[in-house]
Structures are given as C-alpha cells and as structure tokens.
PDB file of all heavy atoms in Angstrom:
ATOM      1  N   GLY A 227       3.475  -0.399 -13.924  1.00 95.00           N
ATOM      2  CA  GLY A 227       2.403   0.554 -13.699  1.00 95.00           C
ATOM      3  C   GLY A 227       1.503   0.292 -12.514  1.00 95.00           C
ATOM      4  O   GLY A 227       0.400   0.855 -12.435  1.00 95.00           O
ATOM      5  N   VAL A 228       1.967  -0.515 -11.562  1.00 96.00           N
ATOM      6  CA  VAL A 228       1.136  -0.869 -10.417  1.00 96.00           C
ATOM      7  C   VAL A 228       0.733   0.348  -9.595  1.00 96.00           C
ATOM      8  O   VAL A 228      -0.372   0.397  -9.035  1.00 96.00           O
ATOM      9  CB  VAL A 228       1.886  -1.909  -9.536  1.00 96.00           C
ATOM     10  CG1 VAL A 228       1.294  -1.977  -8.133  1.00 96.00           C
ATOM     11  CG2 VAL A 228       1.830  -3.277 -10.189  1.00 96.00           C
ATOM     12  N   PHE A 229       1.600   1.356  -9.525  1.00 96.00           N
ATOM     13  CA  PHE A 229       1.345   2.504  -8.664  1.00 96.00           C
ATOM     14  C   PHE A 229       0.831   3.734  -9.423  1.00 96.00           C
ATOM     15  O   PHE A 229       0.809   4.835  -8.873  1.00 96.00           O
ATOM     16  CB  PHE A 229       2.627   2.875  -7.905  1.00 96.00           C
ATOM     17  CG  PHE A 229       3.158   1.761  -7.055  1.00 96.00           C
ATOM     18  CD1 PHE A 229       4.243   1.006  -7.484  1.00 96.00           C
ATOM     19  CD2 PHE A 229       2.571   1.450  -5.841  1.00 96.00           C
ATOM     20  CE1 PHE A 229       4.743  -0.026  -6.702  1.00 96.00           C
ATOM     21  CE2 PHE A 229       3.059   0.412  -5.051  1.00 96.00           C
ATOM     22  CZ  PHE A 229       4.146  -0.326  -5.486  1.00 96.00           C
ATOM     23  N   ASN A 230       0.391   3.532 -10.645  1.00 94.00           N
ATOM     24  CA  ASN A 230      -0.018   4.669 -11.475  1.00 94.00           C
ATOM     25  C   ASN A 230      -1.396   5.232 -11.140  1.00 94.00           C
ATOM     26  O   ASN A 230      -1.661   6.409 -11.383  1.00 94.00           O
ATOM     27  CB  ASN A 230      -0.001   4.275 -12.958  1.00 94.00           C
ATOM     28  CG  ASN A 230       1.405   4.109 -13.504  1.00 94.00           C
ATOM     29  OD1 ASN A 230       2.373   4.434 -12.829  1.00 94.00           O
ATOM     30  ND2 ASN A 230       1.510   3.575 -14.712  1.00 94.00           N
ATOM     31  N   SER A 231      -2.275   4.405 -10.582  1.00 92.00           N
ATOM     32  CA  SER A 231      -3.681   4.822 -10.456  1.00 92.00           C
ATOM     33  C   SER A 231      -4.244   4.495  -9.078  1.00 92.00           C
ATOM     34  O   SER A 231      -4.964   3.497  -8.912  1.00 92.00           O
ATOM     35  CB  SER A 231      -4.530   4.145 -11.538  1.00 92.00           C
ATOM     36  OG  SER A 231      -4.048   4.458 -12.822  1.00 92.00           O
ATOM     37  N   PRO A 232      -3.966   5.325  -8.083  1.00 94.00           N
ATOM     38  CA  PRO A 232      -4.598   5.120  -6.770  1.00 94.00           C
ATOM     39  C   PRO A 232      -6.119   5.219  -6.912  1.00 94.00           C
ATOM     40  O   PRO A 232      -6.616   6.063  -7.650  1.00 94.00           O
ATOM     41  CB  PRO A 232      -4.051   6.274  -5.923  1.00 94.00           C
ATOM     42  CG  PRO A 232      -2.834   6.750  -6.637  1.00 94.00           C
ATOM     43  CD  PRO A 232      -3.081   6.500  -8.092  1.00 94.00           C
ATOM     44  N   PRO A 233      -6.869   4.381  -6.217  1.00 93.00           N
ATOM     45  CA  PRO A 233      -8.327   4.414  -6.351  1.00 93.00           C
ATOM     46  C   PRO A 233      -8.922   5.676  -5.750  1.00 93.00           C
ATOM     47  O   PRO A 233      -8.477   6.137  -4.689  1.00 93.00           O
ATOM     48  CB  PRO A 233      -8.784   3.166  -5.570  1.00 93.00           C
ATOM     49  CG  PRO A 233      -7.693   2.953  -4.573  1.00 93.00           C
ATOM     50  CD  PRO A 233      -6.426   3.352  -5.260  1.00 93.00           C
ATOM     51  N   PRO A 234      -9.926   6.251  -6.381  1.00 93.00           N
ATOM     52  CA  PRO A 234     -10.559   7.467  -5.847  1.00 93.00           C
ATOM     53  C   PRO A 234     -11.557   7.144  -4.749  1.00 93.00           C
ATOM     54  O   PRO A 234     -11.964   5.985  -4.560  1.00 93.00           O
ATOM     55  CB  PRO A 234     -11.274   8.036  -7.070  1.00 93.00           C
ATOM     56  CG  PRO A 234     -11.646   6.814  -7.861  1.00 93.00           C
ATOM     57  CD  PRO A 234     -10.507   5.850  -7.672  1.00 93.00           C
ATOM     58  N   LEU A 235     -11.955   8.154  -4.033  1.00 91.00           N
ATOM     59  CA  LEU A 235     -13.069   8.059  -3.104  1.00 91.00           C
ATOM     60  C   LEU A 235     -14.337   7.828  -3.918  1.00 91.00           C
ATOM     61  O   LEU A 235     -14.514   8.423  -4.977  1.00 91.00           O
ATOM     62  CB  LEU A 235     -13.156   9.346  -2.294  1.00 91.00           C
ATOM     63  CG  LEU A 235     -14.302   9.533  -1.306  1.00 91.00           C
ATOM     64  CD1 LEU A 235     -13.819  10.313  -0.095  1.00 91.00           C
ATOM     65  CD2 LEU A 235     -15.452  10.281  -1.971  1.00 91.00           C
ATOM     66  N   ILE A 236     -15.210   6.971  -3.430  1.00 87.00           N
ATOM     67  CA  ILE A 236     -16.418   6.627  -4.175  1.00 87.00           C
ATOM     68  C   ILE A 236     -17.638   7.266  -3.520  1.00 87.00           C
ATOM     69  O   ILE A 236     -17.895   7.072  -2.330  1.00 87.00           O
ATOM     70  CB  ILE A 236     -16.602   5.095  -4.243  1.00 87.00           C
ATOM     71  CG1 ILE A 236     -15.417   4.460  -4.986  1.00 87.00           C
ATOM     72  CG2 ILE A 236     -17.921   4.743  -4.925  1.00 87.00           C
ATOM     73  CD1 ILE A 236     -15.473   2.945  -5.027  1.00 87.00           C
ATOM     74  N   GLU A 237     -18.374   8.045  -4.291  1.00 85.00           N
ATOM     75  CA  GLU A 237     -19.616   8.653  -3.819  1.00 85.00           C
ATOM     76  C   GLU A 237     -20.746   7.634  -4.003  1.00 85.00           C
ATOM     77  O   GLU A 237     -21.005   7.159  -5.104  1.00 85.00           O
ATOM     78  CB  GLU A 237     -19.932   9.917  -4.625  1.00 85.00           C
ATOM     79  CG  GLU A 237     -18.838  10.985  -4.569  1.00 85.00           C
ATOM     80  CD  GLU A 237     -18.927  11.840  -3.332  1.00 85.00           C
ATOM     81  OE1 GLU A 237     -19.933  11.699  -2.594  1.00 85.00           O
ATOM     82  OE2 GLU A 237     -18.015  12.654  -3.104  1.00 85.00           O
ATOM     83  N   MET A 238     -21.430   7.302  -2.908  1.00 82.00           N
ATOM     84  CA  MET A 238     -22.494   6.308  -2.955  1.00 82.00           C
ATOM     85  C   MET A 238     -23.847   6.983  -3.224  1.00 82.00           C
ATOM     86  O   MET A 238     -23.997   8.199  -3.057  1.00 82.00           O
ATOM     87  CB  MET A 238     -22.548   5.536  -1.628  1.00 82.00           C
ATOM     88  CG  MET A 238     -21.199   4.982  -1.181  1.00 82.00           C
ATOM     89  SD  MET A 238     -20.517   3.739  -2.302  1.00 82.00           S
ATOM     90  CE  MET A 238     -21.569   2.342  -1.906  1.00 82.00           C
ATOM     91  N   ASP A 239     -24.833   6.187  -3.597  1.00 80.00           N
ATOM     92  CA  ASP A 239     -26.148   6.729  -3.937  1.00 80.00           C
ATOM     93  C   ASP A 239     -26.893   7.282  -2.734  1.00 80.00           C
ATOM     94  O   ASP A 239     -27.806   8.092  -2.877  1.00 80.00           O
ATOM     95  CB  ASP A 239     -27.012   5.637  -4.600  1.00 80.00           C
ATOM     96  CG  ASP A 239     -26.487   5.251  -5.975  1.00 80.00           C
ATOM     97  OD1 ASP A 239     -25.778   6.084  -6.579  1.00 80.00           O
ATOM     98  OD2 ASP A 239     -26.771   4.131  -6.425  1.00 80.00           O
ATOM     99  N   ASN A 240     -26.553   6.824  -1.534  1.00 78.00           N
ATOM    100  CA  ASN A 240     -27.275   7.245  -0.326  1.00 78.00           C
ATOM    101  C   ASN A 240     -26.591   8.412   0.379  1.00 78.00           C
ATOM    102  O   ASN A 240     -26.704   8.577   1.600  1.00 78.00           O
ATOM    103  CB  ASN A 240     -27.436   6.072   0.636  1.00 78.00           C
ATOM    104  CG  ASN A 240     -26.082   5.474   1.021  1.00 78.00           C
ATOM    105  OD1 ASN A 240     -25.040   5.854   0.481  1.00 78.00           O
ATOM    106  ND2 ASN A 240     -26.098   4.536   1.958  1.00 78.00           N
ATOM    107  N   ASN A 241     -25.840   9.210  -0.381  1.00 79.00           N
ATOM    108  CA  ASN A 241     -25.151  10.401   0.149  1.00 79.00           C
ATOM    109  C   ASN A 241     -24.047  10.061   1.152  1.00 79.00           C
ATOM    110  O   ASN A 241     -23.690  10.882   1.999  1.00 79.00           O
ATOM    111  CB  ASN A 241     -26.143  11.370   0.801  1.00 79.00           C
ATOM    112  CG  ASN A 241     -27.045  12.037  -0.218  1.00 79.00           C
ATOM    113  OD1 ASN A 241     -26.625  12.335  -1.335  1.00 79.00           O
ATOM    114  ND2 ASN A 241     -28.296  12.265   0.162  1.00 79.00           N
ATOM    115  N   THR A 242     -23.524   8.848   1.056  1.00 83.00           N
ATOM    116  CA  THR A 242     -22.358   8.476   1.854  1.00 83.00           C
ATOM    117  C   THR A 242     -21.182   8.262   0.901  1.00 83.00           C
ATOM    118  O   THR A 242     -21.335   8.318  -0.328  1.00 83.00           O
ATOM    119  CB  THR A 242     -22.606   7.196   2.662  1.00 83.00           C
ATOM    120  OG1 THR A 242     -22.887   6.112   1.756  1.00 83.00           O
ATOM    121  CG2 THR A 242     -23.775   7.379   3.624  1.00 83.00           C
ATOM    122  N   VAL A 243     -20.005   8.039   1.475  1.00 86.00           N
ATOM    123  CA  VAL A 243     -18.829   7.820   0.654  1.00 86.00           C
ATOM    124  C   VAL A 243     -18.126   6.546   1.099  1.00 86.00           C
ATOM    125  O   VAL A 243     -18.296   6.089   2.232  1.00 86.00           O
ATOM    126  CB  VAL A 243     -17.843   9.008   0.739  1.00 86.00           C
ATOM    127  CG1 VAL A 243     -18.465  10.271   0.175  1.00 86.00           C
ATOM    128  CG2 VAL A 243     -17.368   9.224   2.167  1.00 86.00           C
ATOM    129  N   ARG A 244     -17.349   6.004   0.201  1.00 86.00           N
ATOM    130  CA  ARG A 244     -16.556   4.806   0.508  1.00 86.00           C
ATOM    131  C   ARG A 244     -15.085   5.133   0.316  1.00 86.00           C
ATOM    132  O   ARG A 244     -14.672   5.551  -0.763  1.00 86.00           O
ATOM    133  CB  ARG A 244     -16.959   3.647  -0.397  1.00 86.00           C
ATOM    134  CG  ARG A 244     -16.156   2.374  -0.165  1.00 86.00           C
ATOM    135  CD  ARG A 244     -16.784   1.183  -0.891  1.00 86.00           C
ATOM    136  NE  ARG A 244     -15.952   0.005  -0.797  1.00 86.00           N
ATOM    137  CZ  ARG A 244     -15.232  -0.487  -1.808  1.00 86.00           C
ATOM    138  NH1 ARG A 244     -15.271   0.107  -2.986  1.00 86.00           N
ATOM    139  NH2 ARG A 244     -14.496  -1.569  -1.647  1.00 86.00           N
ATOM    140  N   PHE A 245     -14.316   4.970   1.373  1.00 89.00           N
ATOM    141  CA  PHE A 245     -12.875   5.194   1.309  1.00 89.00           C
ATOM    142  C   PHE A 245     -12.216   3.917   0.796  1.00 89.00           C
ATOM    143  O   PHE A 245     -11.997   2.972   1.543  1.00 89.00           O
ATOM    144  CB  PHE A 245     -12.315   5.566   2.685  1.00 89.00           C
ATOM    145  CG  PHE A 245     -12.938   6.781   3.301  1.00 89.00           C
ATOM    146  CD1 PHE A 245     -13.281   6.796   4.639  1.00 89.00           C
ATOM    147  CD2 PHE A 245     -13.190   7.909   2.542  1.00 89.00           C
ATOM    148  CE1 PHE A 245     -13.849   7.933   5.218  1.00 89.00           C
ATOM    149  CE2 PHE A 245     -13.756   9.047   3.107  1.00 89.00           C
ATOM    150  CZ  PHE A 245     -14.088   9.051   4.440  1.00 89.00           C
ATOM    151  N   THR A 246     -11.923   3.880  -0.485  1.00 90.00           N
ATOM    152  CA  THR A 246     -11.368   2.680  -1.098  1.00 90.00           C
ATOM    153  C   THR A 246      -9.923   2.482  -0.672  1.00 90.00           C
ATOM    154  O   THR A 246      -9.084   3.375  -0.818  1.00 90.00           O
ATOM    155  CB  THR A 246     -11.437   2.787  -2.632  1.00 90.00           C
ATOM    156  OG1 THR A 246     -12.751   3.157  -3.021  1.00 90.00           O
ATOM    157  CG2 THR A 246     -11.069   1.456  -3.273  1.00 90.00           C
ATOM    158  N   LEU A 247      -9.630   1.310  -0.136  1.00 92.00           N
ATOM    159  CA  LEU A 247      -8.262   0.995   0.269  1.00 92.00           C
ATOM    160  C   LEU A 247      -7.412   0.696  -0.951  1.00 92.00           C
ATOM    161  O   LEU A 247      -7.904   0.300  -2.006  1.00 92.00           O
ATOM    162  CB  LEU A 247      -8.262  -0.196   1.232  1.00 92.00           C
ATOM    163  CG  LEU A 247      -9.050  -0.004   2.527  1.00 92.00           C
ATOM    164  CD1 LEU A 247      -8.983  -1.273   3.376  1.00 92.00           C
ATOM    165  CD2 LEU A 247      -8.513   1.192   3.310  1.00 92.00           C
ATOM    166  N   TRP A 248      -6.112   0.874  -0.799  1.00 95.00           N
ATOM    167  CA  TRP A 248      -5.161   0.607  -1.887  1.00 95.00           C
ATOM    168  C   TRP A 248      -4.121  -0.375  -1.355  1.00 95.00           C
ATOM    169  O   TRP A 248      -3.130   0.041  -0.743  1.00 95.00           O
ATOM    170  CB  TRP A 248      -4.518   1.910  -2.339  1.00 95.00           C
ATOM    171  CG  TRP A 248      -3.838   1.821  -3.675  1.00 95.00           C
ATOM    172  CD1 TRP A 248      -4.133   0.982  -4.702  1.00 95.00           C
ATOM    173  CD2 TRP A 248      -2.752   2.632  -4.140  1.00 95.00           C
ATOM    174  NE1 TRP A 248      -3.322   1.215  -5.781  1.00 95.00           N
ATOM    175  CE2 TRP A 248      -2.459   2.229  -5.457  1.00 95.00           C
ATOM    176  CE3 TRP A 248      -2.009   3.674  -3.572  1.00 95.00           C
ATOM    177  CZ2 TRP A 248      -1.441   2.811  -6.211  1.00 95.00           C
ATOM    178  CZ3 TRP A 248      -1.008   4.256  -4.320  1.00 95.00           C
ATOM    179  CH2 TRP A 248      -0.719   3.834  -5.627  1.00 95.00           C
ATOM    180  N   PRO A 249      -4.310  -1.680  -1.562  1.00 96.00           N
ATOM    181  CA  PRO A 249      -3.424  -2.683  -0.966  1.00 96.00           C
ATOM    182  C   PRO A 249      -1.958  -2.528  -1.342  1.00 96.00           C
ATOM    183  O   PRO A 249      -1.070  -2.967  -0.597  1.00 96.00           O
ATOM    184  CB  PRO A 249      -3.995  -4.004  -1.511  1.00 96.00           C
ATOM    185  CG  PRO A 249      -5.439  -3.708  -1.771  1.00 96.00           C
ATOM    186  CD  PRO A 249      -5.450  -2.293  -2.267  1.00 96.00           C
ATOM    187  N   GLU A 250      -1.682  -1.909  -2.493  1.00 97.00           N
ATOM    188  CA  GLU A 250      -0.295  -1.732  -2.908  1.00 97.00           C
ATOM    189  C   GLU A 250       0.530  -0.945  -1.878  1.00 97.00           C
ATOM    190  O   GLU A 250       1.756  -1.112  -1.779  1.00 97.00           O
ATOM    191  CB  GLU A 250      -0.255  -1.024  -4.267  1.00 97.00           C
ATOM    192  CG  GLU A 250      -0.678  -1.898  -5.442  1.00 97.00           C
ATOM    193  CD  GLU A 250      -2.176  -2.109  -5.572  1.00 97.00           C
ATOM    194  OE1 GLU A 250      -2.936  -1.644  -4.701  1.00 97.00           O
ATOM    195  OE2 GLU A 250      -2.601  -2.759  -6.537  1.00 97.00           O
ATOM    196  N   LEU A 251      -0.143  -0.098  -1.100  1.00 97.00           N
ATOM    197  CA  LEU A 251       0.561   0.654  -0.065  1.00 97.00           C
ATOM    198  C   LEU A 251       1.099  -0.252   1.036  1.00 97.00           C
ATOM    199  O   LEU A 251       2.065   0.098   1.721  1.00 97.00           O
ATOM    200  CB  LEU A 251      -0.362   1.705   0.549  1.00 97.00           C
ATOM    201  CG  LEU A 251      -0.621   2.958  -0.295  1.00 97.00           C
ATOM    202  CD1 LEU A 251      -1.688   3.823   0.371  1.00 97.00           C
ATOM    203  CD2 LEU A 251       0.649   3.759  -0.493  1.00 97.00           C
ATOM    204  N   LEU A 252       0.491  -1.408   1.211  1.00 97.00           N
ATOM    205  CA  LEU A 252       0.987  -2.353   2.222  1.00 97.00           C
ATOM    206  C   LEU A 252       2.398  -2.813   1.884  1.00 97.00           C
ATOM    207  O   LEU A 252       3.227  -2.999   2.782  1.00 97.00           O
ATOM    208  CB  LEU A 252       0.038  -3.560   2.313  1.00 97.00           C
ATOM    209  CG  LEU A 252      -1.398  -3.257   2.752  1.00 97.00           C
ATOM    210  CD1 LEU A 252      -2.261  -4.509   2.635  1.00 97.00           C
ATOM    211  CD2 LEU A 252      -1.411  -2.720   4.176  1.00 97.00           C
ATOM    212  N   TYR A 253       2.657  -2.995   0.611  1.00 98.00           N
ATOM    213  CA  TYR A 253       4.007  -3.377   0.189  1.00 98.00           C
ATOM    214  C   TYR A 253       5.001  -2.257   0.464  1.00 98.00           C
ATOM    215  O   TYR A 253       6.102  -2.500   0.987  1.00 98.00           O
ATOM    216  CB  TYR A 253       4.005  -3.742  -1.295  1.00 98.00           C
ATOM    217  CG  TYR A 253       5.384  -3.910  -1.888  1.00 98.00           C
ATOM    218  CD1 TYR A 253       6.265  -4.866  -1.396  1.00 98.00           C
ATOM    219  CD2 TYR A 253       5.812  -3.100  -2.953  1.00 98.00           C
ATOM    220  CE1 TYR A 253       7.535  -5.016  -1.946  1.00 98.00           C
ATOM    221  CE2 TYR A 253       7.067  -3.254  -3.496  1.00 98.00           C
ATOM    222  CZ  TYR A 253       7.931  -4.207  -2.990  1.00 98.00           C
ATOM    223  OH  TYR A 253       9.192  -4.355  -3.525  1.00 98.00           O
TER     224      TYR A 253
END
C-alpha cells in the first residue's frame, strides 16, 4: 500500500499553501 495515498496540498494559516513532496515517486 505504499502508493495508495499521495499527500494532499496543505493550506497554511497565513493564506499560503505547501506543496508536499512524495518521495515514493523518486523510486
């Protein structure tokens, strides 16, 4: 199940967003 749940984009409190990387794609 390593590839079942790609991380979502994270909405930050200061009206910015964080593009969460998914290291499994490196493989």
Side-chain angles (χ1 to χ4, degrees):
V228 162
F229 301 102
N230 288 352
S231 302
L235 176 145
I236 298 177
E237 302 277 352
M238 309 296 286
D239 292 337
N240 57 353
N241 290 325
T242 61
V243 296
R244 179 169 174 254
F245 302 137
T246 310
L247 300 179
W248 196 27
E250 287 77 356
L251 284 173
L252 298 173
Y253 170 60

